Amino acid sequence: DGLVHEAAGARLAAALAADYPVLKGEERERIRCRPGRAAVSRSYGGLLQNFGLIVHAVAPRFDRGVDVAAWRTRLTSTWHSAMSKAHESGATFAVSPLLGSGGRGAPYADAVDVAASAALSWRGHDDGASPTTALALQIVVQDDADADTLVGAIEARGA
């Protein structure tokens, strides 16, 4: 999130502030989109050359004592919401970091497992309500070992 805002600049922050007000009760952290959901904005600044739009997906936190099953369900919802928003906006290709890992505190293996499962289970492209257009998803990870882990999780599901 920080890198996206840094690359897109102040115009992105202004657009998000105008289109997505801070949610009631979330003023302290200035949250504009609930965890498990996604929102769409135009692209700005250094991102504009390669990306016409930005899907902002908010993964749930993985705090101590979290109900892991509920967290996995909410993270799957985050992935599905992000892919649906991209698809509804006309995208045929999307790039995403590994949602839920990093600053959100989830164990890496859990974030990988949910990403693989969610990517394979998303069916927004054949919902009958829109043209049949697949959404190619590229999940960005830190290194080759992480990529191998993600590919292994996808292959374990028979894809």
Side-chain angles (χ1 to χ4, degrees):
D1 187 45
L3 292 175
V4 168
H5 283 268
E6 183 179 319
R11 289 182 63 200
L12 174 62
L16 290 174
D19 293 343
Y20 299 100
V22 173
L23 299 171
K24 185 175 176 112
E26 301 292 352
E27 294 84 0
R28 189 171 136 258
E29 292 193 41
R30 307 203 41 83
I31 295 173
R32 297 175 187 281
C33 182
R34 296 239 181 264
R37 298 300 211 191
V40 177
S41 73
R42 288 186 44 218
S43 188
Y44 296 94
L47 298 176
L48 189 56
Q49 180 178 345
N50 295 310
F51 304 102
L53 62 93
I54 301 169
V55 177
H56 307 267
V58 184
R61 290 194 182 281
F62 193 98
D63 295 320
R64 174 176 277 197
V66 70
D67 176 340
V68 176
W71 174 84
R72 291 174 68 88
T73 297
R74 191 169 229 182
L75 185 57
T76 298
S77 175
T78 304
W79 278 106
H80 287 177
S81 182
M83 290 183 281
S84 291
K85 290 286 186 183
H87 176 67
E88 291 162 8
S89 297
T92 57
F93 180 78
V95 178
S96 176
L98 182 61
L99 299 175
S101 65
R104 290 290 171 171
Y108 183 79
D110 288 311
V112 165
D113 189 56
V114 172
S117 176
L120 294 172
S121 65
W122 178 71
R123 294 288 181 250
H125 64 280
D126 62 4
D127 61 9
S130 56
T132 304
T133 305
L135 177 69
L137 176 64
Q138 179 178 342
I139 300 172
V140 179
V141 294
Q142 296 291 322
D143 56 35
D144 289 343
D146 291 348
D148 290 343
T149 301
L150 181 58
V151 169
I154 291 169
E155 288 174 346
R157 287 171 174 70

